Amino acid sequence: MKIEMNINGRKRIFDIRPDELLADTLRRHDYTSVRKGCDTTSCGVCTILIDDEPVPSCAYLTVRAEGKKITTVEGIAEEAERLAGCFGDEGADQCGFCNPGIALSVHALKLSAKAPTEENIRHYLVGHLCRCSGYQSQVKAIRRYLGDTT
Amino acid sequence: MKFTNYHRAQSLEDAHKTLQKDKSNTIVGGGLWLKLSRREVDTAVDLAGLDLDLIETTDKTIRIGAMTTLTQIEESDTLRQIASGILVEAVSEIMGRQLRNVATLGGSIIGRYGFSDCITPLLALDARLDFHERGIVSLQDFLTEKGKVDDILKAVVIDKTKAKGYFKKVKKTAHDFPILNVAVVKSEDGTRIAIGSRPAVATLAQAAMDHLAAATTIDKKTITQAARIAKESLKYSTNHRAGAEYRAHLAEVYTRRGLMEVNGLED
Amino acid sequence: MKKTKTVNQRIRSIDGKGIMMGRAAYTDDVAPKEALVIKVLRSPHAFARIKSIDKSKAEALPGVEIVLTHEDFPRNPFTRAGQGYPEPSPHDKYALDDHVRYVGDEVACVAAHDEETAEAALKLLEVDYEIKEPVLDFEKAKGHASIIHAEEGIHEMFPIGFEPEKNVAAAYHMEVDDVEKRLAESEVTVTSSFYTQAQSHTALEPHTVNARLDYQDRLVLYSATQTPFHVRRILSQALEIPLNKIRVIKPRVGGGFGGKQAIHGEMLAAMVTMKTKKPSRLTYTRKEVFEATYTRHPMRIDMRLGATKDGRITAIDCYGLSDTGAYGEHALTVFMVTGSKVLPLYNKVDAVRFHGDVVYTNRVSSGAYRGYGAIQGNYALESAIDMLAEKLGMDPVELRQKNMIAEGETSPIFEIMGEGTEGTAMNMETCKLDHCVKRGMELIGYKDKFPRREIGNNKLRSVGMAIAMQGSGIPYIDMGAATIKLNDDGFYNLLVGATDIGQGSDTILAQIAAEELGVDVEKVVVYSSDTDLTPFDAGAYASSTTYVSGNAVWKAAKTMKKRLIEEAARSLGVEVEDIDFRGTSFKSKKDGEELSLSDLSNTLFYNDDQKQLSVTESYYGTKSPPPFMAGFVEIEIDKETCEYEVVDYVSVVDCGVTINPKLAQGQVEGGIVQGLGMAMTEDVKIAANGKLVTADFLNYKIPTGKDIRKLTTEFAASYEESGPYGAKSVGEIGIDTPPAAIANAVYNALGVRIKSLPITPEKIQAARMEKD
């Protein structure tokens, strides 16, 4: 079946199977920033934004995305670049497999919450597993990115 | 899950009819289990667009649509006011934001999962389920039924009564299913205690509730007794997450702490 | 230490931006679209012989390109371990075999035009098994009636104690002085057994490989590997493909931690592509990563300590029993490290013994994992030290301070124990353990907090600690090399076989080169790793990269600098001694004439005595200077339920000079949290039939950002003369202390000693019930 969706501000029409999951559709169409890491909706590396809210694309039917606003990290390039700078300053970037997903969640958090606290950040990002960093440097980098200089 | 057709229902009646057409046909809620399920289905029925994702209030009740996401519940000011916000608290501890953005309340209930963190507080809140065909069924009754649900869950209804609530989820990490969960609600009608993930699906600690109902005063002593009864009167089992004995111990401790808290007593 | 401009500075990683922005970088990102999708049929039985496989139905399925079984592979035993050659691991594995030895072992593989077809084909394979009695309890494995490896042809490369007829993959024994005698003479002794679990690495990127034949008909493999050169060699030997016909490319790797040191899907992808002449790709599912790659070696460690009444430790006896699972990857070497990078911490003993067996069982294979034997041994020794302190009535920190290794000292163990062979004698030229302990006490507030405080609300806070050491590469065995090439306009290529697997080695190697060459890091373009293009490097394991590969880069940069000065002198018509090297320019001390690097390089390329300046240097360690650390943890524990959380984890680390302080901190903190996972939540459950129950992230619980709230990390001032710019390695040291520190903190809180990992609230509660 054919469906139309808006990805990163661009209209795209894909031919899909009805039971296809969005992570597979996106990867097939070269949105390689959308990664697959677990099969159980547990790890966060497949995170994308649908209508500005983070969603696990590995558990989202592509057909349901019809008419929705989809954002991958390619769609928030400037924000991601700035966040990368903060990660660099805090030494928070290691293997980076989880980073595009985190960038999207951080972006959504920024859109939805005013002045999030460290607790808010840790709560919002709990679904992004990272085996490299120990998390603290990530949290510091995100606070820096969100303008929290305390 | 594999399916050949996707059908976006035009109405509840349409959804119902489609489900009747083929035994394998099923409703897709949040879709979280799509990847894990090995079922092969003819038609997946989507209830999106039927206004089942609303949280509505009347004078006496709050009606939460079955397609309401856990995030909507987490962010509901209305629900935050109910029984110290235990439903909001319980939901906010379920996995991560991404998952809560797609997981639906209906999906969390309809499977009668033992690990559900929604069912336990809702049971303590004496929630009712509103089905398309059967109409209103108490959650308590629904949980004792077995087998696949053919009907369509429309909404979960809870009372707006004044109550104090307590919820505790015991878990290994912040991104985990419960080892055990306990919810306590005290209102004018009395005290309800629900204990879930034993690891069987949540149930009321009826004997403990009866003990409190019969007591003339509620003090530390009666509460300690009630907690002991909650431990001894319910069945706790072992699975790979925890042993029966430890679960029973946790149930006693958190029932006691919950009762102390809703009664305004210092533990 | 001389002042540095780039080294020991907070420099952003060179690749973080592109990675954050989602650029195609990882192995699966670069797989050809048309590649055949490979899926693996895995054994449902813990131990069985494959009587027959009927693949006709699967082959007949439209879209299926090929089905491979053991009959399609040359019968060459090898080890997947991914080590130097000859390997210290037994050659006990066939690419596919007619026996399956754990639930998840490979039976066959299918390559099809899409994933759905490949999966459907797996279901059509009909396998007839003769089920054998599995060995699931490693304490009963040795001499068990069921022999896991009875096949012909398997062998050890040199003596490692390999006795497959007894289910023994490796064995070891060493003794200094007479341990039994010293223990008998000791005024105070402690004897205890400890158990550690089969921790999973859980790198977020699953094991991934893709293969293709290039236009020269060479096999090109992209693999998420820590060891591209070892992969090339092992593939060549096992599949009988000439070495010169294989190219292995390591793209960006999404975490390794030892889990990608070994060969996993490479054999199958290589064979599918060789046979079909078509590109192929294989990405493990998360379940396959858990069930069918490998884990940390579970161990039982029996520790006996002897001491005088005033607290001098006189003897240590350490017996280990290690479970290598179905195959013997790293069987001996992980076991050796349990002794060699743990016991020298207390080097003043009169007698020390380390001995035991590594046994086969019918569970998923064990292999390399960050901390590699050391974390197991550290948990046992550092728990036992606290037990000894209590018996002596001494503060556990004081007991350590009295007995631990100090700068300038040595231990006989260094000379006796190596990686499967004899070791290398060395003195501790840098060992700031004393500072690490003192500073750690200050940072955690030890004096006020030891052993515990009531904080109300049914809760206690307590502290616990442990000390640890690691190594920096494997001396005389593992070599790293680096090539530096000058380009026109005066920038460099740094080509290294060293494998960045996310730890940031590309960045720190660029920093070392940039420092020596006097340029900004941006002027050093790093490429790692590609067996066709980059010089050899053993790979990212054994805390090698900073020290071994870093030294190679440093040597190459020094040589390049020498060549540049020669060229500049020639160009300016002066003697080499007359050149003042300023990185981006050269100045004649004679007449003040200046030549920019850019001009020199352009001239060398296009105008005068044209040549390509390119240097390659190699380095192997002649010792392995250990990084050291002290770890202190404060926990808050519920007195009734025994649930606990980490309030703060203090790490004070001596890893020499940190090439990049922030990245070094990331190594330590990442290690700490992995160690905390092993200590606290990463439980491994296996069903009675040998099937792994905890085979996904729903059931295998690694720490999240909400679980570990505070990490306090500091580095001791330290300069290791033999390291690049004074550095030692830092990849593993962080992981070692948490299990013992947590065990000690729990004991200090509630008076119960948990002797098996993970230390769950349930175990603590049960221990308390038993005590009462």
Side-chain angles (χ1 to χ4, degrees):
Chain A
M1 57 196 292
K2 278 203 165 46
I3 71 153
E4 181 183 318
M5 57 184 119
N6 176 324
I7 305 180
N8 300 330
R10 219 183 117 200
K11 195 169 90 175
R12 300 290 307 260
I13 296 168
F14 296 140
D15 195 5
I16 59 154
R17 287 197 331 270
D19 56 0
E20 192 166 316
L21 296 166
L22 193 48
D24 295 320
T25 314
L26 291 171
R27 274 197 78 78
R28 194 170 70 238
H29 291 94
D30 295 330
Y31 296 95
T32 46
S33 66
V34 182
R35 313 206 193 280
K36 290 168 75 177
C38 76
D39 308 321
T40 52
T41 330
S42 318
C43 76
V45 304
C46 71
T47 300
I48 55 160
L49 302 186
I50 295 186
D51 296 338
D52 293 334
E53 272 291 330
V55 156
S57 63
C58 76
Y60 198 92
L61 284 173
T62 307
V63 61
R64 274 188 167 168
E66 175 126 55
K68 294 218 157 64
K69 175 186 167 192
I70 313 284
T71 311
T72 70
V73 81
E74 290 88 344
I76 56 159
E78 276 178 34
E79 299 284 302
E81 186 173 348
R82 213 161 62 71
L83 182 63
C86 299
F87 267 55
D89 289 338
E90 293 296 341
D93 43 357
Q94 289 195 35
C95 89
F97 204 69
C98 63
N99 285 2
I102 289 174
L104 288 161
S105 275
V106 169
H107 181 65
L109 172 65
K110 192 177 154 194
L111 292 177
S112 68
K114 278 185 196 134
T117 61
E118 173 169 340
E119 182 58 35
N120 297 148
I121 295 168
R122 287 187 186 264
H123 180 69
Y124 203 92
L125 292 173
V126 76
H128 289 279
L129 298 180
C130 166
R131 193 57 154 170
C132 294
S133 70
Y135 300 105
Q136 182 160 287
S137 54
Q138 286 186 349
V139 173
K140 279 187 183 165
I142 292 163
R143 291 179 66 177
R144 186 187 277 251
Y145 167 80
L146 293 171
D148 181 350
T149 48
T150 53
Chain B
M1 185 188 293
K2 289 194 189 309
F3 50 83
T4 327
N5 305 297
Y6 166 83
H7 179 67
R8 182 169 286 200
Q10 299 305 305
S11 65
L12 281 169
E13 198 43 48
D14 172 37
H16 186 71
K17 272 188 191 151
T18 313
L19 285 179
Q20 306 298 321
K21 274 187 200 156
D22 188 302
K23 253 194 162 170
S24 75
N25 289 359
T26 188
I27 290 173
V28 195
L32 285 174
W33 305 110
L34 286 170
K35 189 97 187 167
L36 290 175
S37 166
R38 288 175 181 276
R39 281 170 68 189
E40 294 196 8
V41 168
D42 179 70
T43 301
V45 182
D46 195 342
L47 301 179
L50 300 182
D51 287 341
L52 295 179
D53 57 348
L54 305 173
I55 301 173
E56 299 165 302
T57 54
T58 66
D59 281 357
K60 291 188 173 160
T61 62
I62 301 172
R63 189 182 160 83
I64 313 167
M67 291 291 281
T68 304
T69 66
L70 302 186
T71 298
Q72 283 175 276
I73 293 172
E74 185 184 4
E75 296 188 336
S76 163
D77 289 332
T78 310
L79 290 170
R80 198 175 294 277
Q81 307 303 318
I82 302 301
S84 317
I86 58 169
L87 183 61
V88 170
E89 184 189 339
V91 161
S92 71
E93 288 183 43
I94 296 174
M95 302 298 174
R97 175 85 179 192
Q98 307 98 300
L99 184 135
R100 295 195 297 275
N101 273 331
V102 292
T104 59
L105 183 62
S108 312
I109 290 171
I110 216 77
R112 300 188 195 96
Y113 300 115
F115 55 76
S116 172
D117 283 313
C118 295
I119 290 176
T120 308
L122 284 171
L123 193 55
L125 287 165
D126 199 11
R128 279 90 65 201
L129 309 181
D130 186 4
F131 284 98
H132 175 63
E133 283 210 298
R134 289 170 76 189
I136 297 284
V137 179
S138 82
L139 174 62
Q140 197 178 337
D141 290 343
F142 173 74
L143 293 178
T144 59
E145 296 170 7
K146 294 211 160 50
K148 187 173 170 258
V149 182
D150 293 328
D151 209 345
I152 300 170
L153 178 64
K154 292 194 292 183
V156 179
V157 183
I158 55 175
D159 290 333
K160 258 169 96 180
T161 49
K162 260 196 145 150
K164 278 196 164 175
Y166 170 91
F167 177 77
K168 175 69 191 184
K169 170 184 183 177
V170 181
K171 56 200 185 286
K172 286 184 188 169
T173 71
H175 190 259
D176 196 10
F177 292 124
I179 286 172
L180 185 99
N181 55 27
V182 177
V184 180
V185 171
K186 189 194 176 196
S187 67
E188 285 171 359
D189 303 333
T191 305
R192 287 171 68 91
I193 305 163
I195 305 178
S197 196
R198 306 178 334 282
V201 71
T203 184
L204 289 175
Q206 192 62 52
M209 286 158 53
D210 293 345
H211 181 77
L212 290 170
T216 44
T217 52
I218 301 213
D219 55 13
K220 188 163 184 177
K221 195 177 152 202
T222 46
I223 285 173
T224 306
Q225 287 165 344
R228 175 55 61 99
I229 294 168
K231 174 186 176 177
E232 286 168 358
S233 63
L234 295 179
K235 186 170 180 284
Y236 301 89
S237 311
T238 297
N239 68 359
H240 72 272
R241 308 183 81 79
E245 220 172 298
Y246 185 59
R247 282 198 163 98
H249 173 70
L250 291 172
E252 180 179 7
V253 171
Y254 285 113
T255 301
R256 191 196 78 230
R257 289 184 189 174
L259 288 170
M260 295 293 278
E261 189 173 309
V262 298
N263 285 289
L265 296 168
E266 286 278 324
D267 194 33
Chain C
M1 188 185 143
K2 85 176 178 206
K3 212 169 149 38
T4 49
K5 205 172 118 219
T6 308
V7 157
N8 195 230
Q9 301 299 318
R10 290 175 61 153
I11 303 259
R12 287 180 181 177
S13 70
I14 58 175
D15 36 35
K17 188 173 121 183
I19 293 298
M20 181 73 80
M21 295 174 79
R23 304 269 162 73
Y26 301 88
T27 301
D28 192 57
D29 299 346
V30 298
K33 275 216 161 131
E34 70 281 13
L36 299 170
V37 177
I38 301 174
K39 287 281 168 186
V40 184
L41 181 71
R42 298 189 175 278
S43 171
H45 306 296
F47 192 23
R49 183 176 74 85
I50 297 168
K51 286 155 75 178
S52 65
I53 303 177
D54 182 352
K55 55 185 186 181
S56 56
K57 285 181 190 154
E59 282 175 334
L61 188 71
V64 171
E65 188 77 19
I66 196 168
V67 179
L68 296 177
T69 72
H70 62 91
E71 289 168 354
D72 299 298
F73 283 83
R75 202 162 165 77
N76 297 317
F78 62 95
T79 175
R80 300 176 297 179
Q83 296 167 303
Y85 191 82
E87 296 103 334
S89 297
H91 283 201
D92 60 3
K93 178 85 175 80
Y94 295 95
L96 290 177
D97 196 4
D98 65 349
H99 276 70
V100 283
R101 297 184 174 82
Y102 66 97
V103 176
D105 206 351
E106 296 97 348
V107 175
C109 80
V110 169
H113 291 282
D114 57 56
E115 193 173 340
E116 288 71 28
T117 308
E119 274 170 0
L122 287 186
K123 291 182 189 151
L124 297 174
L125 286 169
E126 289 168 7
V127 187
D128 191 9
Y129 295 100
E130 175 196 336
I131 293 169
K132 298 189 162 194
E133 189 197 345
V135 182
L136 296 172
D137 180 349
F138 77 112
E139 292 183 272
K140 292 178 184 153
K142 189 177 178 180
H144 196 285
S146 211
I147 298 169
I148 296 168
H149 285 279
E151 67 274 26
E152 292 277 305
I154 58 169
H155 57 272
E156 57 192 344
M157 302 297 284
F158 52 85
I160 59 167
F162 179 60
E163 290 185 280
E165 63 284 359
K166 292 183 187 164
N167 287 331
V168 173
Y172 185 75
H173 180 101
M174 78 94 195
E175 185 165 7
V176 176
D177 196 68
D178 186 338
V179 164
E180 291 298 345
K181 182 164 163 273
R182 297 289 181 186
L183 282 169
E185 290 167 2
S186 295
E187 290 165 324
V188 182
T189 57
V190 161
T191 300
S192 194
S193 297
F194 299 88
Y195 288 84
T196 64
Q197 83 277 38
Q199 189 183 21
S200 288
H201 311 73
T202 71
L204 266 293
E205 180 201 27
H207 294 67
T208 309
V209 59
N210 59 69
R212 65 196 81 178
L213 289 171
D214 70 10
Y215 69 94
Q216 295 178 6
D217 208 34
R218 292 172 76 233
L219 178 68
V220 181
L221 249 86
Y222 285 81
S223 175
T225 180
Q226 297 174 225
T227 57
F229 288 91
H230 294 335
V231 168
R232 181 177 67 170
R233 186 194 77 236
I234 297 164
L235 277 179
S236 165
Q237 289 169 351
L239 300 182
E240 298 172 4
I241 306 168
L243 206 55
N244 65 336
K245 292 285 184 193
I246 306 174
R247 175 180 183 186
V248 178
I249 300 171
K250 172 217 74 84
R252 181 74 177 183
V253 175
F257 319 117
K260 291 170 182 165
Q261 182 176 346
I263 293 253
H264 287 292
E266 288 91 342
M267 286 285 165
L268 301 179
M271 202 56 160
V272 164
T273 291
M274 293 298 288
K275 292 230 179 208
T276 63
K277 312 293 178 200
K278 290 181 179 175
S280 66
R281 70 202 288 179
L282 173 53
T283 300
Y284 276 22
T285 62
R286 182 54 60 183
K287 183 167 177 247
E288 284 178 299
V289 174
F290 273 108
E291 193 178 75
T293 58
Y294 56 40
T295 71
R296 190 184 293 292
H297 287 77
M299 289 189 194
R300 186 188 91 215
I301 297 171
D302 300 342
M303 199 58 89
R304 291 198 295 164
L305 305 181
T308 61
K309 268 191 284 191
D310 61 352
R312 189 176 79 81
I313 302 171
T314 51
I316 304 177
D317 182 30
C318 180
Y319 168 81
L321 181 67
S322 173
D323 177 359
T324 193
Y327 301 98
E329 291 96 357
H330 302 267
L332 179 68
T333 40
V334 163
F335 188 65
M336 298 285 276
V337 170
T338 301
S340 67
K341 287 176 187 157
V342 176
L343 303 178
L345 279 170
Y346 301 102
N347 63 328
K348 297 167 189 68
V349 294
D350 300 319
V352 57
R353 179 166 64 182
F354 180 75
H355 55 130
D357 295 312
V358 188
V359 293
Y360 287 115
T361 60
N362 291 109
R363 52 168 296 281
V364 61
S365 210
S366 306
Y369 187 165
R370 190 184 214 173
Y372 200 89
I375 187 170
Q376 292 99 320
N378 194 279
Y379 166 57
L381 178 63
E382 286 295 275
S383 293
I385 291 286
D386 263 40
M387 293 165 75
L388 179 64
E390 183 172 46
K391 257 193 160 173
L392 290 164
M394 262 177 99
D395 181 286
V397 173
E398 197 189 322
L399 176 64
R400 286 180 176 85
Q401 286 172 320
K402 200 176 159 106
N403 290 281
M404 69 196 188
I405 194 165
E407 199 155 270
E409 294 179 355
T410 188
S411 159
I413 295 171
F414 295 129
E415 186 170 0
I416 298 168
M417 297 180 73
E419 295 256 336
T421 54
E422 283 179 3
T424 309
M426 58 179 169
N427 283 328
M428 298 300 96
E429 305 296 345
T430 47
C431 174
K432 309 295 180 192
L433 205 41
D434 190 39
H435 165 82
C436 295
V437 170
K438 274 193 218 144
R439 182 66 184 142
M441 286 173 81
E442 283 168 23
L443 288 169
I444 202 85
Y446 186 83
K447 289 210 168 97
D448 299 329
K449 294 177 179 172
F450 178 81
R452 84 188 73 82
R453 295 172 299 150
E454 292 275 354
I455 59 162
N457 220 4
N458 290 308
K459 284 183 173 167
L460 287 172
R461 281 194 177 189
S462 69
V463 291
M465 64 88 64
I467 57 173
M469 59 180 284
Q470 268 289 337
S472 296
I474 307 173
Y476 293 104
I477 292 181
D478 283 338
M479 181 270 278
T483 297
I484 297 178
K485 198 173 84 164
L486 176 70
N487 293 288
D488 45 347
D489 200 34
F491 74 99
Y492 303 95
N493 288 114
L494 172 61
L495 309 174
V496 287
T499 44
D500 194 320
I501 52 171
Q503 80 281 46
S505 67
D506 284 353
T507 300
I508 67 111
L509 295 176
Q511 282 180 264
I512 291 169
E515 182 70 46
E516 189 60 36
L517 292 166
V519 294
D520 291 339
V521 173
E522 296 76 53
K523 297 283 184 191
V524 179
V525 178
V526 187
Y527 182 59
S528 75
S529 339
D530 179 332
T531 56
D532 269 11
L533 302 180
T534 58
F536 179 87
D537 192 291
Y541 59 88
S543 292
S544 299
T545 307
T546 301
Y547 185 76
V548 176
S549 312
N551 261 320
V553 170
W554 201 23
K555 269 174 84 177
K558 285 174 178 169
T559 306
M560 174 55 83
K561 190 164 141 183
K562 197 166 156 266
R563 296 282 305 279
L564 289 167
I565 290 170
E566 286 164 8
E567 293 298 334
R570 190 182 55 77
S571 182
L572 291 170
V574 295
E575 296 301 313
V576 165
E577 300 77 40
D578 297 326
I579 294 291
D580 180 11
F581 177 79
R582 298 173 165 196
T584 51
S585 68
F586 307 84
K587 193 169 181 179
S588 161
K589 292 177 198 165
K590 267 192 165 158
D591 54 12
E593 199 185 337
E594 211 168 326
L595 173 67
S596 74
L597 174 66
S598 170
D599 286 347
L600 174 66
S601 60
N602 290 338
T603 305
L604 285 174
F605 269 79
Y606 301 115
N607 308 118
D608 179 34
D609 193 14
Q610 289 94 319
K611 66 185 65 125
Q612 169 70 59
L613 286 194
S614 176
V615 302
T616 299
E617 293 287 358
S618 312
Y619 184 86
Y620 63 90
T622 54
K623 59 178 181 172
S624 178
F628 294 92
M629 78 165 276
F632 288 79
V633 68
E634 181 177 9
I635 62 168
E636 184 171 307
I637 190 162
D638 187 306
K639 289 193 283 184
E640 280 186 291
T641 66
C642 304
E643 293 163 272
Y644 65 98
E645 56 185 79
V646 171
V647 178
D648 189 9
Y649 203 102
V650 169
S651 309
V652 185
V653 181
D654 165 15
C655 61
V657 171
T658 54
I659 301 294
N660 184 319
K662 277 288 164 190
L663 292 179
Q665 188 178 339
Q667 285 302 297
V668 172
E669 293 183 351
I672 293 294
V673 173
Q674 275 182 21
L676 287 171
M678 178 164 170
M680 297 168 69
T681 58
E682 293 178 31
D683 217 348
V684 179
K685 300 285 185 187
I686 296 168
N689 66 355
K691 188 176 167 60
L692 183 68
V693 176
T694 44
D696 56 47
F697 282 130
L698 296 174
N699 294 297
Y700 185 82
K701 303 315 295 184
I702 67 170
T704 75
K706 260 179 115 175
D707 295 302
I708 309 298
R709 301 299 186 114
K710 189 167 180 227
L711 303 167
T712 304
T713 308
E714 266 193 22
F715 293 97
S718 171
Y719 189 95
E720 169 62 39
E721 278 296 337
S722 68
Y725 289 100
K728 298 189 273 189
S729 282
V730 69
E732 296 179 276
I733 183 72
I735 204 169
D736 294 334
T737 57
I742 290 285
N744 293 338
V746 166
Y747 184 84
N748 291 338
L750 299 173
V752 290
R753 169 71 48 194
I754 307 302
K755 297 177 181 174
S756 72
L757 297 179
I759 299 167
T760 61
E762 182 172 13
K763 281 184 194 167
I764 303 170
Q765 165 66 12
R768 291 183 79 202
M769 297 297 284
E770 205 170 301
K771 192 182 154 208
D772 289 344

